[in-house]
Amino acid sequence: MAARRRKLRSGTVLLGGMGVLAATLTACGSEPDRRCVDPVTQEVLPDYQCDDDDSTSSGRYYYGGRVSDGKVTDGSFDKSAVDRGGFGSSGSGGG
């Protein structure tokens, strides 16, 4: 009976490890966070204010970074400048 318990535990460890691997691959292949932001004030705006088809749009998309008090930092308006990173990296880009 002890051998049966060991086998069950090793199967559980294997399945848990596969879940971690899947999460890692998903995180590395995903797009950076994107927010609509006023380019002058750095304030987060509703998505409709970044509509690419509207010439009166007041916002631009800002990639990565974080939001504090309604303003963005540590990201970039240039999507290619944002490094998504993986485990052990900060995931922030230059701005």
Side-chain angles (χ1 to χ4, degrees), residues 52-90:
D52 294 332
D53 297 330
D54 184 5
S55 62
T56 62
S57 295
S58 58
R60 290 181 48 209
Y61 284 114
Y62 188 88
Y63 299 92
R66 60 187 113 128
V67 179
S68 178
D69 295 325
K71 294 187 178 191
V72 291
T73 59
D74 300 331
S76 177
F77 286 105
D78 180 6
K79 182 179 177 181
S80 64
V82 179
D83 178 25
R84 202 43 194 157
F87 282 105
S89 69
S90 65

Side-chain angles (χ1 to χ4, degrees), residues 11-83:
T12 302
V13 170
L14 177 64
L15 289 176
M18 289 174 59
V20 170
L21 177 62
T24 302
L25 292 174
T26 301
C28 290
S30 62
E31 294 288 315
D33 291 339
R34 179 176 88 164
R35 298 169 180 86
C36 184
V37 172
D38 182 307
V40 176
T41 65
Q42 304 290 89
E43 291 179 354
V44 178
L45 302 171
D47 280 338
Y48 69 84
Q49 291 191 354
C50 282
D51 187 5
D52 294 332
D53 297 330
D54 184 5
S55 62
T56 62
S57 295
S58 58
R60 290 181 48 209
Y61 284 114
Y62 188 88
Y63 299 92
R66 60 187 113 128
V67 179
S68 178
D69 295 325
K71 294 187 178 191
V72 291
T73 59
D74 300 331
S76 177
F77 286 105
D78 180 6
K79 182 179 177 181
S80 64
V82 179
D83 178 25

